[in-house]
């Protein structure tokens, strides 16, 4: 397989540092990425998995002259659901 699985270990997508709140934070600044004066805006809302989408969408947004506004908080699902914790055998 190319690249090898070992080479992929460090291949991780993350949102830019200023674009997200950590678990203990209750607020953070909202930053626009891409073309700040754009007529079109993409808003990305979610948890840390959103970092994958920013890395993929930012080059396309820059090429199209759009801006991206990420609203992200690590470990915070953007939906109201009960998550089962198998290690604890409870929600």
């Amino acid at each position: 397989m190319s690249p090898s699985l070992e080479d992929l270990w460090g291949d991780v997508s993350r949102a830019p540092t200023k674009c997200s709140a950590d678990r203990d934070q209750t607020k953070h600044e909202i930053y626009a990425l891409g073309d700040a004066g754009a007529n079109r805006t993409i808003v990305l809302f979610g948890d840390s998995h959103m970092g994958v989408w920013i890395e993929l969408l930012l080059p396309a947004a820059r090429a199209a002259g759009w801006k991206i506004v990420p609203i992200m908080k690590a470990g915070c699902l953007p939906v109201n659901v009960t998550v089962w914790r198998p290690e604890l055998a409870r929600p």
Side-chain angles (χ1 to χ4, degrees), residues 30-79:
I30 295 177
Y31 294 90
L33 306 171
D35 183 355
N39 290 328
R40 291 198 182 230
T41 302
I42 300 168
V43 176
L44 296 177
F45 174 74
D47 62 5
S48 58
H49 292 99
M50 191 180 71
V52 174
W53 294 105
I54 291 174
E55 189 169 313
L56 295 170
L57 290 172
L58 192 53
R62 284 185 176 134
W66 299 346
K67 69 179 161 188
I68 295 178
V69 177
I71 301 173
M72 181 178 118
K73 181 169 172 92
C76 188
L77 297 175
V79 293

Side-chain angles (χ1 to χ4, degrees), residues 2-37:
S2 179
S4 72
L5 292 177
E6 196 170 291
D7 290 340
L8 292 176
W9 184 256
D11 188 18
V12 179
S13 295
R14 290 190 173 88
T17 305
K18 294 180 179 180
C19 296
S20 66
D22 288 329
R23 292 175 196 259
D24 297 332
Q25 287 180 289
T26 57
K27 63 182 178 177
H28 74 90
E29 296 294 323
I30 295 177
Y31 294 90
L33 306 171
D35 183 355

